[in-house]
Amino acid sequence: MKLVLTYAIATMGLMGLVFGALLALASKKFAVETDPRVGEIRSVLPGANCGACGFPGCDALAEAIAAGKAPVDACKAGGPSVTAKVAQVMGATVELPKRRMVALVKCIGDRERARGRGEYAGVPTCRAAVLAGGGHKECLYGCLGFGDCVRACAFDAIKVGPGGIAVVDPAKCTACGKCVSACPRGIIEIVPADQHVHVMCRNQEKGAVTRKQCSVGCIACQACVRACPREAIKVESNVAVIDYSKCDDCGTCATKCPVKVISPKPAKALEENAAAC
Amino acid sequence: MDLGRYFLIFLATFLVQNILLIRFIALCSFFGISTSVETSVGMSLAVIFVMMISSTLTWVLWNFVLAPLGIGEFLYIPSFILVIASFVQLEELFIKKAAPALYRAMGIYLPLITTNCAVLAAATEVAKPGFIKLSVAYHYTLPEAWVYTLGVALGYSAALLVFATIRERVDSAPVPAVFKGYPIAFVTASLMSLALTGFAGLFGI
């Protein structure tokens, strides 16, 4: 009996010691080198895994930045504050961009203002509606409101409003650009957040046609071009386009616009719209 | 080298006494991993690898240490677990360093199966027969132990992969709300198990 006990204790004890030593040795010998900066960079990244940087998630971007495979300002969604922190970790100096950018849906042709041409009863996505003959609106450039952009947003910053048009919440938007690529009509643009004057239409049809399609469509009458004191607005392809580098937000064009498609203070209007939905 | 014997052992562990569907061992990992075929493949590879080597280690341990010293009857469980756990840890370190691609494919399952009951069951049976009374072999030589373990591992993998493919289809089928998820998975598994009982008694196993 006693002998068995000795054997048992000795065997288990010996095995425990041997395996413990083996594992300790192995953990030293097979250690995988990880850059400590990867963890630091990962902790300053937003962590939304939106993929706008082009890498599969924030973990992958942290590794890439530490390895030098991605630039320090790769995270567009994080904005200047994240870029500054990443630059601090990497020991690099970075010039911060001048203005904060947000996404903007350039369409205000909601159910009351835009003419419909029938009921769409297909797959309820914007892309499907566009493929199935252009959607339920007469205007082939407007927002369809099925929410492809809403589903693409990783920050819950865009919603379809009560009028059936998508609206961006500028407070939550990080300008990562996912909604821009998700929109099959291409009417979402990244614009400066402090800019109040925007042309809220991208309809490229001639003025007479646009007038029939939507009561707030840009008819390319050039009234805004004549009014602008800084030549910051031009008409290209039958639609007015503002050059944000020249525009100083005076709003003169908005007062002269006959269809009122240039919003003088769209930021405020959009916030109200966003709050309503 | 009796090929017939090897064949019978393999058939017994692979089909007739399938560890998942007939003996109902290691079901938690079975239901957990089988939601996608991709993860099931990784898990199967890891299980085959770990089981084969663990059984070899436990067979050696039993026949050269535990049995001669007469301490096997009461020490076999802790010593087997010690050996298996240490081995899996060592293996994980090694694979992480030597083959990062393989590690990404199946490395995360290694800690999961360290004390998986299927691994322990197979490892114990080849070393200390009598757990399950297979009429075909009672005291295994090392090659027989390998065939036994291969049968268990492949039986586990086959059942897991088949179930995963079925489950992927069932997940998108119009299942009544009460049955969605695990209930219908259990029903499916029990039907598979019923099918496998058709092999019971094959060749007198």
Side-chain angles (χ1 to χ4, degrees):
Chain A
M1 204 55 192
K2 273 237 171 96
L3 198 59
V4 174
L5 204 60
T6 320
Y7 281 152
I9 296 174
T11 318
M12 287 303 281
L14 210 68
M15 278 206 303
L17 274 170
V18 166
F19 285 125
L22 209 65
L23 278 170
L25 260 167
S27 69
K28 288 252 163 49
K29 184 158 185 270
F30 292 122
V32 176
E33 294 281 332
T34 47
D35 194 336
R37 292 181 307 182
V38 174
E40 282 178 47
I41 296 178
R42 175 64 186 88
S43 59
V44 301
L45 289 177
N49 287 326
C50 68
C53 54
F55 288 89
C58 299
D59 288 331
L61 180 63
E63 277 186 41
I65 293 181
K69 294 203 181 93
V72 170
D73 60 351
C75 180
K76 296 187 225 40
S81 59
V82 166
T83 307
K85 288 196 205 124
V86 174
Q88 203 177 15
V89 171
M90 290 295 289
T93 47
V94 143
E95 252 191 53
L96 299 178
K98 277 189 351 197
R99 299 160 103 175
R100 178 174 169 243
M101 310 289 273
V102 288
L104 179 68
V105 180
K106 287 201 165 171
C107 177
I108 46 173
D110 56 18
R111 273 188 215 106
E112 281 117 38
R113 297 165 175 158
R115 249 177 92 181
R117 57 184 177 131
E119 200 182 305
Y120 175 69
V123 178
T125 64
C126 309
R127 209 163 279 275
V130 166
L131 285 171
H136 56 274
K137 280 188 175 167
E138 289 255 0
C139 170
L140 295 179
Y141 298 85
C143 171
L144 289 166
F146 286 117
D148 283 10
C149 51
V150 178
R151 284 184 284 275
C153 181
F155 301 95
D156 201 29
I158 187 167
K159 285 194 170 51
V160 176
I165 302 286
V167 177
V168 175
D169 182 352
K172 289 188 189 159
C173 176
T174 60
C176 71
K178 299 300 278 289
C179 57
V180 177
S181 12
C183 176
R185 285 268 157 91
I187 51 162
I188 307 185
E189 268 185 39
I190 305 292
V191 299
D194 51 6
Q195 170 88 5
H196 286 146
V197 180
H198 299 280
V199 178
M200 300 296 281
C201 179
R202 301 260 287 218
N203 188 312
Q204 293 176 11
E205 302 282 357
K206 286 215 174 71
V209 180
T210 312
R211 200 84 191 95
K212 289 208 201 84
Q213 291 176 344
C214 175
S215 62
V216 280
C218 173
I219 52 173
C221 63
Q222 312 245 5
C224 50
V225 179
R226 288 190 289 272
C228 181
R230 267 160 214 82
E231 292 186 3
I233 186 165
K234 283 188 181 44
V235 167
E236 291 165 0
S237 305
N238 297 309
V239 68
V241 176
I242 292 179
D243 183 345
Y244 294 116
S245 58
K246 290 189 190 154
C247 174
D248 71 345
D249 238 19
C250 68
T252 315
C253 53
T255 53
K256 293 282 189 268
C257 176
V259 293
K260 295 280 174 258
V261 69
I262 307 183
S263 301
K265 283 204 179 340
K268 189 157 179 290
L270 287 173
E271 274 164 36
E272 284 168 356
N273 213 349
C277 65
Chain B
M1 202 166 103
D2 185 1
L3 273 180
R5 205 169 148 80
Y6 289 145
F7 175 69
L8 281 179
I9 295 179
F10 183 79
L11 200 66
T13 51
F14 181 70
L15 266 186
V16 179
Q17 291 285 338
N18 186 293
I19 194 160
L20 274 177
L21 296 172
I22 303 291
R23 293 169 58 188
F24 304 124
I25 291 181
L27 285 179
C28 48
S29 60
F30 180 61
F31 285 109
I33 296 284
S34 57
T35 44
S36 106
V37 176
E38 219 183 306
T39 54
S40 304
V41 170
M43 180 73 169
S44 306
L45 287 172
V47 163
I48 295 174
F49 190 35
V50 171
M51 251 194 216
M52 291 299 288
I53 306 192
S54 302
S55 316
T56 316
L57 289 172
T58 54
W59 188 93
V60 165
L61 186 67
W62 175 272
N63 283 288
F64 290 103
V65 179
L66 293 179
L69 291 177
I71 49 175
E73 279 305 321
F74 53 90
L75 262 191
Y76 72 98
I77 292 185
S79 54
F80 285 175
I81 291 188
L82 180 64
V83 165
I84 296 175
S86 313
F87 157 67
V88 173
Q89 264 298 95
L90 269 165
E91 180 200 346
E92 194 187 340
L93 287 167
F94 180 68
I95 289 188
K96 201 166 172 186
K97 175 89 172 185
L102 189 63
Y103 184 73
R104 272 193 293 276
M106 60 93 134
I108 45 167
Y109 303 113
L110 288 175
L112 273 175
I113 56 176
T114 301
T115 44
N116 188 344
C117 29
V119 173
L120 190 59
T124 317
E125 280 146 26
V126 296
K128 186 185 176 303
F131 240 52
I132 164 174
K133 303 236 186 309
L134 280 186
S135 63
V136 78
Y138 200 74
H139 197 88
Y140 296 107
T141 60
L142 193 55
E144 281 170 357
W146 285 332
V147 173
Y148 186 102
T149 316
L150 197 63
V152 172
L154 288 177
Y156 180 91
S157 310
L160 182 63
L161 284 169
V162 171
F163 189 62
T165 50
I166 295 179
R167 211 170 160 191
E168 274 193 346
R169 297 287 299 270
V170 166
D171 274 344
S172 52
V175 173
V178 224
F179 279 98
K180 268 198 162 54
Y182 280 111
I184 197 68
F186 274 92
V187 170
T188 316
S190 60
L191 287 172
M192 283 174 72
S193 174
L194 264 178
L196 275 187
T197 54
F199 288 110
L202 196 65
F203 291 131
I205 291 174

